[in-house]
């Protein structure tokens, strides 16, 4: 079994776009009320004509 590398190879140059900064936080999605009734993202199921549908 080959040992895992713990150091970069000699001569490795880090690309300019690599950074140690943390990833930016996503912006919250704007609230849009569901005109047909209950939101499936809140309750987990779509409801149509009184029947729960889960994809």
């Amino acid at each position: 079994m080959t040992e895992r590398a713990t150091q970069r190879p000699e001569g490795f140059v880090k690309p300019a776009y690599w950074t140690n900064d943390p990833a930016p936080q996503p912006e919250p999605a704007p609230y849009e009320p569901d005109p047909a009734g209950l939101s499936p993202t809140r309750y987990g199921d779509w409801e149509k004509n009184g029947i729960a549908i889960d994809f």
Side-chain angles (χ1 to χ4, degrees):
M1 177 182 229
T2 305
E3 287 189 37
R4 182 177 176 180
T6 57
Q7 295 180 351
R8 303 222 185 267
E10 197 173 310
F12 175 80
V13 178
K14 182 172 87 168
Y17 60 87
W18 279 14
T19 178
N20 288 333
D21 296 337
Q25 293 295 322
E27 298 208 9
Y31 175 73
E32 296 178 15
D34 185 5
L38 301 176
S39 170
T41 56
R42 181 172 177 194
Y43 297 101
D45 291 324
W46 290 92
E47 183 265 329
K48 183 174 183 176
N49 298 330
I51 299 172
I53 307 167
D54 192 7
F55 295 98

mmCIF file of all heavy atoms in Angstrom:
data_model
loop_
_atom_site.group_PDB
_atom_site.id
_atom_site.type_symbol
_atom_site.label_atom_id
_atom_site.label_comp_id
_atom_site.label_asym_id
_atom_site.label_seq_id
_atom_site.Cartn_x
_atom_site.Cartn_y
_atom_site.Cartn_z
ATOM 1 N N MET A 1 0.838 -1.181 0.000
ATOM 2 C CA MET A 1 0.000 0.000 0.000
ATOM 3 C C MET A 1 0.885 1.248 0.000
ATOM 4 O O MET A 1 1.850 1.331 0.739
ATOM 5 C CB MET A 1 -0.921 -0.022 1.219
ATOM 6 C CG MET A 1 -1.785 1.203 1.354
ATOM 7 S SD MET A 1 -2.770 1.100 2.838
ATOM 8 C CE MET A 1 -4.314 1.506 2.169
ATOM 9 N N THR A 2 0.548 2.207 -0.837
ATOM 10 C CA THR A 2 1.305 3.446 -0.931
ATOM 11 C C THR A 2 0.887 4.388 0.177
ATOM 12 O O THR A 2 -0.297 4.534 0.465
ATOM 13 C CB THR A 2 1.039 4.118 -2.292
ATOM 14 O OG1 THR A 2 1.329 3.174 -3.321
ATOM 15 C CG2 THR A 2 1.884 5.350 -2.465
ATOM 16 N N GLU A 3 1.860 5.039 0.792
ATOM 17 C CA GLU A 3 1.542 5.991 1.854
ATOM 18 C C GLU A 3 0.904 7.237 1.265
ATOM 19 O O GLU A 3 1.185 7.621 0.138
ATOM 20 C CB GLU A 3 2.818 6.384 2.600
ATOM 21 C CG GLU A 3 3.340 5.298 3.494
ATOM 22 C CD GLU A 3 4.471 5.807 4.360
ATOM 23 O OE1 GLU A 3 4.411 6.960 4.809
ATOM 24 O OE2 GLU A 3 5.412 5.037 4.575
ATOM 25 N N ARG A 4 0.056 7.852 2.046
ATOM 26 C CA ARG A 4 -0.606 9.078 1.626
ATOM 27 C C ARG A 4 0.385 10.240 1.671
ATOM 28 O O ARG A 4 1.158 10.379 2.621
ATOM 29 C CB ARG A 4 -1.779 9.365 2.554
ATOM 30 C CG ARG A 4 -2.541 10.568 2.161
ATOM 31 C CD ARG A 4 -3.722 10.763 3.043
ATOM 32 N NE ARG A 4 -4.364 12.016 2.672
ATOM 33 C CZ ARG A 4 -5.428 12.482 3.238
ATOM 34 N NH1 ARG A 4 -6.004 11.810 4.211
ATOM 35 N NH2 ARG A 4 -5.944 13.608 2.856
ATOM 36 N N ALA A 5 0.330 11.080 0.655
ATOM 37 C CA ALA A 5 1.220 12.240 0.602
ATOM 38 C C ALA A 5 0.802 13.252 1.662
ATOM 39 O O ALA A 5 -0.384 13.541 1.839
ATOM 40 C CB ALA A 5 1.171 12.877 -0.767
ATOM 41 N N THR A 6 1.764 13.774 2.389
ATOM 42 C CA THR A 6 1.478 14.786 3.401
ATOM 43 C C THR A 6 2.062 16.140 3.024
ATOM 44 O O THR A 6 1.837 17.114 3.720
ATOM 45 C CB THR A 6 2.027 14.352 4.768
ATOM 46 O OG1 THR A 6 3.428 14.107 4.644
ATOM 47 C CG2 THR A 6 1.323 13.095 5.263
ATOM 48 N N GLN A 7 2.815 16.167 1.939
ATOM 49 C CA GLN A 7 3.401 17.418 1.469
ATOM 50 C C GLN A 7 3.206 17.506 -0.039
ATOM 51 O O GLN A 7 3.065 16.504 -0.722
ATOM 52 C CB GLN A 7 4.894 17.464 1.781
ATOM 53 C CG GLN A 7 5.184 17.489 3.259
ATOM 54 C CD GLN A 7 6.691 17.545 3.511
ATOM 55 O OE1 GLN A 7 7.492 17.405 2.588
ATOM 56 N NE2 GLN A 7 7.069 17.753 4.751
ATOM 57 N N ARG A 8 3.190 18.720 -0.542
ATOM 58 C CA ARG A 8 3.051 18.925 -1.984
ATOM 59 C C ARG A 8 4.378 18.552 -2.659
ATOM 60 O O ARG A 8 5.447 18.664 -2.069
ATOM 61 C CB ARG A 8 2.723 20.383 -2.273
ATOM 62 C CG ARG A 8 1.471 20.841 -1.563
ATOM 63 C CD ARG A 8 0.632 21.674 -2.473
ATOM 64 N NE ARG A 8 -0.509 22.231 -1.785
ATOM 65 C CZ ARG A 8 -1.702 21.665 -1.749
ATOM 66 N NH1 ARG A 8 -1.903 20.540 -2.358
ATOM 67 N NH2 ARG A 8 -2.703 22.232 -1.114
ATOM 68 N N PRO A 9 4.295 18.109 -3.910
ATOM 69 C CA PRO A 9 5.525 17.767 -4.625
ATOM 70 C C PRO A 9 6.440 18.987 -4.765
ATOM 71 O O PRO A 9 5.972 20.129 -4.812
ATOM 72 C CB PRO A 9 5.041 17.307 -5.997
ATOM 73 C CG PRO A 9 3.574 17.145 -5.903
ATOM 74 C CD PRO A 9 3.113 17.890 -4.710
ATOM 75 N N GLU A 10 7.690 18.724 -4.866
ATOM 76 C CA GLU A 10 8.663 19.818 -5.029
ATOM 77 C C GLU A 10 8.385 20.527 -6.348
ATOM 78 O O GLU A 10 8.089 19.894 -7.366
ATOM 79 C CB GLU A 10 10.068 19.218 -5.045
ATOM 80 C CG GLU A 10 11.151 20.243 -4.802
ATOM 81 C CD GLU A 10 12.495 19.570 -4.654
ATOM 82 O OE1 GLU A 10 12.599 18.620 -3.864
ATOM 83 O OE2 GLU A 10 13.423 20.002 -5.358
ATOM 84 N N GLY A 11 8.410 21.835 -6.340
ATOM 85 C CA GLY A 11 8.166 22.618 -7.534
ATOM 86 C C GLY A 11 6.696 22.966 -7.730
ATOM 87 O O GLY A 11 6.329 23.623 -8.706
ATOM 88 N N PHE A 12 5.826 22.529 -6.805
ATOM 89 C CA PHE A 12 4.405 22.841 -6.918
ATOM 90 C C PHE A 12 4.184 24.325 -6.670
ATOM 91 O O PHE A 12 4.722 24.898 -5.721
ATOM 92 C CB PHE A 12 3.601 22.024 -5.901
ATOM 93 C CG PHE A 12 2.144 22.374 -5.874
ATOM 94 C CD1 PHE A 12 1.280 21.871 -6.819
ATOM 95 C CD2 PHE A 12 1.646 23.231 -4.912
ATOM 96 C CE1 PHE A 12 -0.061 22.197 -6.805
ATOM 97 C CE2 PHE A 12 0.314 23.564 -4.881
ATOM 98 C CZ PHE A 12 -0.542 23.041 -5.828
ATOM 99 N N VAL A 13 3.403 24.968 -7.543
ATOM 100 C CA VAL A 13 3.059 26.372 -7.381
ATOM 101 C C VAL A 13 1.546 26.469 -7.215
ATOM 102 O O VAL A 13 0.793 25.965 -8.054
ATOM 103 C CB VAL A 13 3.509 27.204 -8.607
ATOM 104 C CG1 VAL A 13 3.111 28.657 -8.451
ATOM 105 C CG2 VAL A 13 5.007 27.066 -8.801
ATOM 106 N N LYS A 14 1.117 27.087 -6.138
ATOM 107 C CA LYS A 14 -0.307 27.224 -5.858
ATOM 108 C C LYS A 14 -0.945 28.150 -6.882
ATOM 109 O O LYS A 14 -0.430 29.232 -7.150
ATOM 110 C CB LYS A 14 -0.476 27.798 -4.446
ATOM 111 C CG LYS A 14 -1.909 27.938 -4.006
ATOM 112 C CD LYS A 14 -2.021 28.319 -2.545
ATOM 113 C CE LYS A 14 -1.968 29.810 -2.400
ATOM 114 N NZ LYS A 14 -2.336 30.270 -1.068
ATOM 115 N N PRO A 15 -2.082 27.740 -7.508
ATOM 116 C CA PRO A 15 -2.758 28.610 -8.476
ATOM 117 C C PRO A 15 -3.217 29.916 -7.813
ATOM 118 O O PRO A 15 -3.509 29.949 -6.619
ATOM 119 C CB PRO A 15 -3.959 27.798 -8.928
ATOM 120 C CG PRO A 15 -3.607 26.377 -8.626
ATOM 121 C CD PRO A 15 -2.720 26.428 -7.422
ATOM 122 N N ALA A 16 -3.297 30.968 -8.585
ATOM 123 C CA ALA A 16 -3.643 32.293 -8.057
ATOM 124 C C ALA A 16 -5.049 32.327 -7.468
ATOM 125 O O ALA A 16 -5.316 33.108 -6.555
ATOM 126 C CB ALA A 16 -3.519 33.335 -9.161
ATOM 127 N N TYR A 17 -5.965 31.480 -7.966
ATOM 128 C CA TYR A 17 -7.340 31.532 -7.482
ATOM 129 C C TYR A 17 -7.540 30.757 -6.177
ATOM 130 O O TYR A 17 -8.601 30.835 -5.576
ATOM 131 C CB TYR A 17 -8.314 31.020 -8.554
ATOM 132 C CG TYR A 17 -8.072 29.591 -8.987
ATOM 133 C CD1 TYR A 17 -8.653 28.537 -8.305
ATOM 134 C CD2 TYR A 17 -7.269 29.305 -10.078
ATOM 135 C CE1 TYR A 17 -8.438 27.229 -8.690
ATOM 136 C CE2 TYR A 17 -7.053 28.010 -10.474
ATOM 137 C CZ TYR A 17 -7.633 26.970 -9.781
ATOM 138 O OH TYR A 17 -7.419 25.681 -10.165
ATOM 139 N N TRP A 18 -6.564 29.990 -5.719
ATOM 140 C CA TRP A 18 -6.681 29.281 -4.453
ATOM 141 C C TRP A 18 -6.570 30.277 -3.318
ATOM 142 O O TRP A 18 -5.737 31.181 -3.341
ATOM 143 C CB TRP A 18 -5.579 28.249 -4.304
ATOM 144 C CG TRP A 18 -5.842 26.971 -5.034
ATOM 145 C CD1 TRP A 18 -6.764 26.735 -5.985
ATOM 146 C CD2 TRP A 18 -5.128 25.754 -4.859
ATOM 147 N NE1 TRP A 18 -6.684 25.456 -6.431
ATOM 148 C CE2 TRP A 18 -5.685 24.822 -5.755
ATOM 149 C CE3 TRP A 18 -4.079 25.367 -4.054
ATOM 150 C CZ2 TRP A 18 -5.220 23.521 -5.848
ATOM 151 C CZ3 TRP A 18 -3.623 24.076 -4.155
ATOM 152 C CH2 TRP A 18 -4.184 23.164 -5.041
ATOM 153 N N THR A 19 -7.415 30.115 -2.312
ATOM 154 C CA THR A 19 -7.385 31.015 -1.174
ATOM 155 C C THR A 19 -7.692 30.235 0.098
ATOM 156 O O THR A 19 -8.285 29.155 0.048
ATOM 157 C CB THR A 19 -8.402 32.160 -1.354
ATOM 158 O OG1 THR A 19 -8.371 32.982 -0.201
ATOM 159 C CG2 THR A 19 -9.814 31.649 -1.550
ATOM 160 N N ASN A 20 -7.321 30.766 1.218
ATOM 161 C CA ASN A 20 -7.640 30.165 2.509
ATOM 162 C C ASN A 20 -8.850 30.832 3.142
ATOM 163 O O ASN A 20 -9.229 30.487 4.260
ATOM 164 C CB ASN A 20 -6.446 30.260 3.460
ATOM 165 C CG ASN A 20 -5.336 29.314 3.047
ATOM 166 O OD1 ASN A 20 -5.587 28.286 2.428
ATOM 167 N ND2 ASN A 20 -4.113 29.670 3.369
ATOM 168 N N ASP A 21 -9.458 31.793 2.447
ATOM 169 C CA ASP A 21 -10.642 32.461 2.973
ATOM 170 C C ASP A 21 -11.814 31.483 3.006
ATOM 171 O O ASP A 21 -11.951 30.631 2.126
ATOM 172 C CB ASP A 21 -11.029 33.658 2.094
ATOM 173 C CG ASP A 21 -9.960 34.740 2.093
ATOM 174 O OD1 ASP A 21 -9.161 34.785 3.049
ATOM 175 O OD2 ASP A 21 -9.922 35.522 1.130
ATOM 176 N N PRO A 22 -12.697 31.605 4.007
ATOM 177 C CA PRO A 22 -13.862 30.713 4.030
ATOM 178 C C PRO A 22 -14.822 31.038 2.891
ATOM 179 O O PRO A 22 -14.837 32.153 2.366
ATOM 180 C CB PRO A 22 -14.505 31.004 5.388
ATOM 181 C CG PRO A 22 -14.000 32.344 5.776
ATOM 182 C CD PRO A 22 -12.658 32.512 5.134
ATOM 183 N N ALA A 23 -15.627 30.072 2.519
ATOM 184 C CA ALA A 23 -16.611 30.285 1.456
ATOM 185 C C ALA A 23 -17.636 31.320 1.907
ATOM 186 O O ALA A 23 -17.991 31.371 3.086
ATOM 187 C CB ALA A 23 -17.312 28.977 1.131
ATOM 188 N N PRO A 24 -18.129 32.167 1.001
ATOM 189 C CA PRO A 24 -19.110 33.170 1.398
ATOM 190 C C PRO A 24 -20.433 32.515 1.789
ATOM 191 O O PRO A 24 -20.800 31.458 1.264
ATOM 192 C CB PRO A 24 -19.284 34.035 0.147
ATOM 193 C CG PRO A 24 -18.824 33.190 -0.974
ATOM 194 C CD PRO A 24 -17.805 32.250 -0.416
ATOM 195 N N GLN A 25 -21.144 33.127 2.727
ATOM 196 C CA GLN A 25 -22.447 32.614 3.153
ATOM 197 C C GLN A 25 -23.477 32.916 2.068
ATOM 198 O O GLN A 25 -23.499 34.014 1.526
ATOM 199 C CB GLN A 25 -22.870 33.283 4.468
ATOM 200 C CG GLN A 25 -22.002 32.903 5.645
ATOM 201 C CD GLN A 25 -22.134 31.427 5.982
ATOM 202 O OE1 GLN A 25 -23.218 30.860 5.908
ATOM 203 N NE2 GLN A 25 -21.022 30.807 6.330
ATOM 204 N N PRO A 26 -24.340 31.955 1.751
ATOM 205 C CA PRO A 26 -25.369 32.219 0.745
ATOM 206 C C PRO A 26 -26.409 33.196 1.290
ATOM 207 O O PRO A 26 -26.672 33.230 2.486
ATOM 208 C CB PRO A 26 -25.984 30.850 0.492
ATOM 209 C CG PRO A 26 -25.675 30.056 1.703
ATOM 210 C CD PRO A 26 -24.389 30.596 2.248
ATOM 211 N N GLU A 27 -26.966 33.977 0.403
ATOM 212 C CA GLU A 27 -28.005 34.911 0.822
ATOM 213 C C GLU A 27 -29.307 34.137 0.992
ATOM 214 O O GLU A 27 -29.591 33.208 0.231
ATOM 215 C CB GLU A 27 -28.165 36.001 -0.232
ATOM 216 C CG GLU A 27 -26.888 36.806 -0.393
ATOM 217 C CD GLU A 27 -27.163 38.206 -0.863
ATOM 218 O OE1 GLU A 27 -28.337 38.613 -0.894
ATOM 219 O OE2 GLU A 27 -26.192 38.886 -1.176
ATOM 220 N N PRO A 28 -30.103 34.490 1.991
ATOM 221 C CA PRO A 28 -31.371 33.779 2.171
ATOM 222 C C PRO A 28 -32.298 34.022 0.984
ATOM 223 O O PRO A 28 -32.321 35.108 0.409
ATOM 224 C CB PRO A 28 -31.947 34.366 3.455
ATOM 225 C CG PRO A 28 -31.204 35.634 3.694
ATOM 226 C CD PRO A 28 -29.895 35.529 2.987
ATOM 227 N N ALA A 29 -33.050 32.988 0.651
ATOM 228 C CA ALA A 29 -33.996 33.099 -0.464
ATOM 229 C C ALA A 29 -35.145 34.010 -0.053
ATOM 230 O O ALA A 29 -35.608 33.958 1.084
ATOM 231 C CB ALA A 29 -34.527 31.730 -0.828
ATOM 232 N N PRO A 30 -35.609 34.855 -0.956
ATOM 233 C CA PRO A 30 -36.732 35.722 -0.613
ATOM 234 C C PRO A 30 -38.001 34.890 -0.410
ATOM 235 O O PRO A 30 -38.210 33.880 -1.085
ATOM 236 C CB PRO A 30 -36.865 36.648 -1.819
ATOM 237 C CG PRO A 30 -36.241 35.902 -2.942
ATOM 238 C CD PRO A 30 -35.163 35.047 -2.334
ATOM 239 N N TYR A 31 -38.813 35.301 0.536
ATOM 240 C CA TYR A 31 -40.051 34.581 0.817
ATOM 241 C C TYR A 31 -41.074 34.893 -0.264
ATOM 242 O O TYR A 31 -41.343 36.050 -0.559
ATOM 243 C CB TYR A 31 -40.609 34.972 2.186
ATOM 244 C CG TYR A 31 -41.949 34.332 2.459
ATOM 245 C CD1 TYR A 31 -42.029 32.975 2.743
ATOM 246 C CD2 TYR A 31 -43.117 35.062 2.393
ATOM 247 C CE1 TYR A 31 -43.248 32.367 2.967
ATOM 248 C CE2 TYR A 31 -44.345 34.471 2.615
ATOM 249 C CZ TYR A 31 -44.412 33.116 2.914
ATOM 250 O OH TYR A 31 -45.623 32.536 3.124
ATOM 251 N N GLU A 32 -41.612 33.851 -0.863
ATOM 252 C CA GLU A 32 -42.666 33.993 -1.857
ATOM 253 C C GLU A 32 -43.806 33.083 -1.434
ATOM 254 O O GLU A 32 -43.666 31.857 -1.465
ATOM 255 C CB GLU A 32 -42.161 33.601 -3.244
ATOM 256 C CG GLU A 32 -41.064 34.501 -3.758
ATOM 257 C CD GLU A 32 -40.544 34.056 -5.111
ATOM 258 O OE1 GLU A 32 -41.204 33.236 -5.772
ATOM 259 O OE2 GLU A 32 -39.460 34.510 -5.481
ATOM 260 N N PRO A 33 -44.937 33.633 -1.027
ATOM 261 C CA PRO A 33 -46.037 32.778 -0.595
ATOM 262 C C PRO A 33 -46.549 31.910 -1.743
ATOM 263 O O PRO A 33 -46.545 32.310 -2.897
ATOM 264 C CB PRO A 33 -47.101 33.770 -0.125
ATOM 265 C CG PRO A 33 -46.741 35.071 -0.738
ATOM 266 C CD PRO A 33 -45.264 35.049 -0.995
ATOM 267 N N ASP A 34 -46.947 30.686 -1.408
ATOM 268 C CA ASP A 34 -47.479 29.758 -2.401
ATOM 269 C C ASP A 34 -48.942 30.101 -2.647
ATOM 270 O O ASP A 34 -49.766 29.957 -1.751
ATOM 271 C CB ASP A 34 -47.331 28.325 -1.884
ATOM 272 C CG ASP A 34 -47.749 27.286 -2.903
ATOM 273 O OD1 ASP A 34 -48.065 27.667 -4.044
ATOM 274 O OD2 ASP A 34 -47.754 26.096 -2.559
ATOM 275 N N PRO A 35 -49.287 30.557 -3.850
ATOM 276 C CA PRO A 35 -50.667 30.959 -4.101
ATOM 277 C C PRO A 35 -51.657 29.797 -4.052
ATOM 278 O O PRO A 35 -52.843 29.999 -3.850
ATOM 279 C CB PRO A 35 -50.621 31.569 -5.505
ATOM 280 C CG PRO A 35 -49.412 30.993 -6.139
ATOM 281 C CD PRO A 35 -48.447 30.704 -5.026
ATOM 282 N N ALA A 36 -51.171 28.554 -4.214
ATOM 283 C CA ALA A 36 -52.076 27.408 -4.223
ATOM 284 C C ALA A 36 -52.270 26.790 -2.844
ATOM 285 O O ALA A 36 -53.025 25.848 -2.705
ATOM 286 C CB ALA A 36 -51.553 26.350 -5.186
ATOM 287 N N GLY A 37 -51.565 27.253 -1.832
ATOM 288 C CA GLY A 37 -51.771 26.680 -0.496
ATOM 289 C C GLY A 37 -50.475 26.468 0.253
ATOM 290 O O GLY A 37 -49.629 27.346 0.298
ATOM 291 N N LEU A 38 -50.318 25.295 0.859
ATOM 292 C CA LEU A 38 -49.180 24.998 1.718
ATOM 293 C C LEU A 38 -47.892 24.839 0.915
ATOM 294 O O LEU A 38 -47.892 24.285 -0.167
ATOM 295 C CB LEU A 38 -49.445 23.717 2.503
ATOM 296 C CG LEU A 38 -50.681 23.737 3.397
ATOM 297 C CD1 LEU A 38 -50.865 22.363 4.032
ATOM 298 C CD2 LEU A 38 -50.578 24.800 4.452
ATOM 299 N N SER A 39 -46.828 25.309 1.470
ATOM 300 C CA SER A 39 -45.532 25.236 0.811
ATOM 301 C C SER A 39 -44.905 23.854 1.013
ATOM 302 O O SER A 39 -44.756 23.400 2.142
ATOM 303 C CB SER A 39 -44.598 26.298 1.389
ATOM 304 O OG SER A 39 -43.291 26.091 0.943
ATOM 305 N N PRO A 40 -44.515 23.142 -0.060
ATOM 306 C CA PRO A 40 -43.901 21.826 0.095
ATOM 307 C C PRO A 40 -42.531 21.887 0.755
ATOM 308 O O PRO A 40 -42.086 20.905 1.329
ATOM 309 C CB PRO A 40 -43.801 21.297 -1.331
ATOM 310 C CG PRO A 40 -43.777 22.516 -2.174
ATOM 311 C CD PRO A 40 -44.633 23.526 -1.458
ATOM 312 N N THR A 41 -41.862 23.025 0.682
ATOM 313 C CA THR A 41 -40.562 23.123 1.336
ATOM 314 C C THR A 41 -40.724 23.177 2.842
ATOM 315 O O THR A 41 -39.816 22.845 3.575
ATOM 316 C CB THR A 41 -39.793 24.355 0.857
ATOM 317 O OG1 THR A 41 -40.582 25.517 1.084
ATOM 318 C CG2 THR A 41 -39.469 24.249 -0.614
ATOM 319 N N ARG A 42 -41.902 23.559 3.315
ATOM 320 C CA ARG A 42 -42.153 23.591 4.751
ATOM 321 C C ARG A 42 -42.724 22.270 5.249
ATOM 322 O O ARG A 42 -42.353 21.779 6.294
ATOM 323 C CB ARG A 42 -43.115 24.726 5.084
ATOM 324 C CG ARG A 42 -43.403 24.825 6.558
ATOM 325 C CD ARG A 42 -44.184 26.060 6.893
ATOM 326 N NE ARG A 42 -44.497 26.067 8.303
ATOM 327 C CZ ARG A 42 -45.371 26.856 8.852
ATOM 328 N NH1 ARG A 42 -46.023 27.732 8.121
ATOM 329 N NH2 ARG A 42 -45.607 26.811 10.134
ATOM 330 N N TYR A 43 -43.623 21.682 4.494
ATOM 331 C CA TYR A 43 -44.314 20.481 4.948
ATOM 332 C C TYR A 43 -43.809 19.198 4.302
ATOM 333 O O TYR A 43 -44.188 18.114 4.714
ATOM 334 C CB TYR A 43 -45.817 20.631 4.719
ATOM 335 C CG TYR A 43 -46.386 21.759 5.533
ATOM 336 C CD1 TYR A 43 -46.660 22.987 4.958
ATOM 337 C CD2 TYR A 43 -46.621 21.602 6.894
ATOM 338 C CE1 TYR A 43 -47.170 24.034 5.705
ATOM 339 C CE2 TYR A 43 -47.127 22.643 7.658
ATOM 340 C CZ TYR A 43 -47.395 23.856 7.062
ATOM 341 O OH TYR A 43 -47.883 24.876 7.805
ATOM 342 N N GLY A 44 -43.009 19.279 3.254
ATOM 343 C CA GLY A 44 -42.391 18.101 2.667
ATOM 344 C C GLY A 44 -43.179 17.425 1.565
ATOM 345 O O GLY A 44 -42.679 16.537 0.907
ATOM 346 N N ASP A 45 -44.428 17.770 1.365
ATOM 347 C CA ASP A 45 -45.248 17.144 0.330
ATOM 348 C C ASP A 45 -45.983 18.215 -0.468
ATOM 349 O O ASP A 45 -46.330 19.258 0.058
ATOM 350 C CB ASP A 45 -46.312 16.225 0.942
ATOM 351 C CG ASP A 45 -45.736 14.986 1.583
ATOM 352 O OD1 ASP A 45 -44.748 14.459 1.045
ATOM 353 O OD2 ASP A 45 -46.273 14.549 2.611
ATOM 354 N N TRP A 46 -46.219 17.911 -1.727
ATOM 355 C CA TRP A 46 -47.112 18.748 -2.531
ATOM 356 C C TRP A 46 -48.530 18.247 -2.269
ATOM 357 O O TRP A 46 -48.748 17.063 -2.059
ATOM 358 C CB TRP A 46 -46.802 18.612 -4.013
ATOM 359 C CG TRP A 46 -45.505 19.220 -4.415
ATOM 360 C CD1 TRP A 46 -44.298 18.598 -4.483
ATOM 361 C CD2 TRP A 46 -45.290 20.574 -4.798
ATOM 362 N NE1 TRP A 46 -43.338 19.480 -4.900
ATOM 363 C CE2 TRP A 46 -43.917 20.700 -5.101
ATOM 364 C CE3 TRP A 46 -46.101 21.685 -4.923
ATOM 365 C CZ2 TRP A 46 -43.358 21.895 -5.509
ATOM 366 C CZ3 TRP A 46 -45.536 22.869 -5.337
ATOM 367 C CH2 TRP A 46 -44.186 22.972 -5.622
ATOM 368 N N GLU A 47 -49.475 19.131 -2.315
ATOM 369 C CA GLU A 47 -50.869 18.747 -2.121
ATOM 370 C C GLU A 47 -51.673 19.280 -3.292
ATOM 371 O O GLU A 47 -51.577 20.451 -3.637
ATOM 372 C CB GLU A 47 -51.389 19.318 -0.802
ATOM 373 C CG GLU A 47 -52.799 18.924 -0.457
ATOM 374 C CD GLU A 47 -53.806 19.961 -0.889
ATOM 375 O OE1 GLU A 47 -53.497 21.145 -0.910
ATOM 376 O OE2 GLU A 47 -54.927 19.551 -1.229
ATOM 377 N N LYS A 48 -52.410 18.388 -3.956
ATOM 378 C CA LYS A 48 -53.215 18.798 -5.097
ATOM 379 C C LYS A 48 -54.557 18.092 -5.014
ATOM 380 O O LYS A 48 -54.607 16.853 -4.935
ATOM 381 C CB LYS A 48 -52.504 18.453 -6.412
ATOM 382 C CG LYS A 48 -53.259 18.928 -7.633
ATOM 383 C CD LYS A 48 -52.460 18.712 -8.892
ATOM 384 C CE LYS A 48 -53.223 19.278 -10.067
ATOM 385 N NZ LYS A 48 -52.494 19.199 -11.293
ATOM 386 N N ASN A 49 -55.622 18.854 -5.025
ATOM 387 C CA ASN A 49 -56.987 18.313 -4.922
ATOM 388 C C ASN A 49 -57.145 17.408 -3.691
ATOM 389 O O ASN A 49 -57.812 16.386 -3.756
ATOM 390 C CB ASN A 49 -57.371 17.546 -6.181
ATOM 391 C CG ASN A 49 -57.372 18.435 -7.415
ATOM 392 O OD1 ASN A 49 -57.636 19.631 -7.307
ATOM 393 N ND2 ASN A 49 -57.072 17.856 -8.559
ATOM 394 N N GLY A 50 -56.514 17.788 -2.590
ATOM 395 C CA GLY A 50 -56.651 17.032 -1.342
ATOM 396 C C GLY A 50 -55.797 15.792 -1.244
ATOM 397 O O GLY A 50 -55.873 15.061 -0.271
ATOM 398 N N ILE A 51 -54.956 15.522 -2.240
ATOM 399 C CA ILE A 51 -54.104 14.336 -2.227
ATOM 400 C C ILE A 51 -52.655 14.785 -2.086
ATOM 401 O O ILE A 51 -52.188 15.646 -2.821
ATOM 402 C CB ILE A 51 -54.272 13.512 -3.522
ATOM 403 C CG1 ILE A 51 -55.720 13.040 -3.650
ATOM 404 C CG2 ILE A 51 -53.303 12.334 -3.536
ATOM 405 C CD1 ILE A 51 -56.016 12.384 -4.972
ATOM 406 N N ALA A 52 -51.937 14.205 -1.114
ATOM 407 C CA ALA A 52 -50.523 14.525 -0.911
ATOM 408 C C ALA A 52 -49.700 13.790 -1.956
ATOM 409 O O ALA A 52 -49.862 12.585 -2.149
ATOM 410 C CB ALA A 52 -50.081 14.153 0.481
ATOM 411 N N ILE A 53 -48.817 14.504 -2.631
ATOM 412 C CA ILE A 53 -47.955 13.936 -3.663
ATOM 413 C C ILE A 53 -46.513 14.189 -3.231
ATOM 414 O O ILE A 53 -46.148 15.309 -2.913
ATOM 415 C CB ILE A 53 -48.204 14.621 -5.032
ATOM 416 C CG1 ILE A 53 -49.674 14.583 -5.385
ATOM 417 C CG2 ILE A 53 -47.373 13.939 -6.105
ATOM 418 C CD1 ILE A 53 -50.014 15.499 -6.531
ATOM 419 N N ASP A 54 -45.720 13.152 -3.197
ATOM 420 C CA ASP A 54 -44.315 13.300 -2.829
ATOM 421 C C ASP A 54 -43.488 12.748 -3.974
ATOM 422 O O ASP A 54 -43.674 11.622 -4.411
ATOM 423 C CB ASP A 54 -44.027 12.541 -1.541
ATOM 424 C CG ASP A 54 -42.666 12.894 -0.976
ATOM 425 O OD1 ASP A 54 -42.017 13.805 -1.500
ATOM 426 O OD2 ASP A 54 -42.257 12.258 0.007
ATOM 427 N N PHE A 55 -42.572 13.561 -4.490
ATOM 428 C CA PHE A 55 -41.780 13.129 -5.643
ATOM 429 C C PHE A 55 -40.546 12.422 -5.173
ATOM 430 O O PHE A 55 -39.617 12.807 -4.797
ATOM 431 C CB PHE A 55 -41.422 14.332 -6.530
ATOM 432 C CG PHE A 55 -42.655 14.942 -7.139
ATOM 433 C CD1 PHE A 55 -43.245 16.049 -6.583
ATOM 434 C CD2 PHE A 55 -43.209 14.390 -8.254
ATOM 435 C CE1 PHE A 55 -44.371 16.620 -7.151
ATOM 436 C CE2 PHE A 55 -44.335 14.943 -8.832
ATOM 437 C CZ PHE A 55 -44.917 16.054 -8.278
#
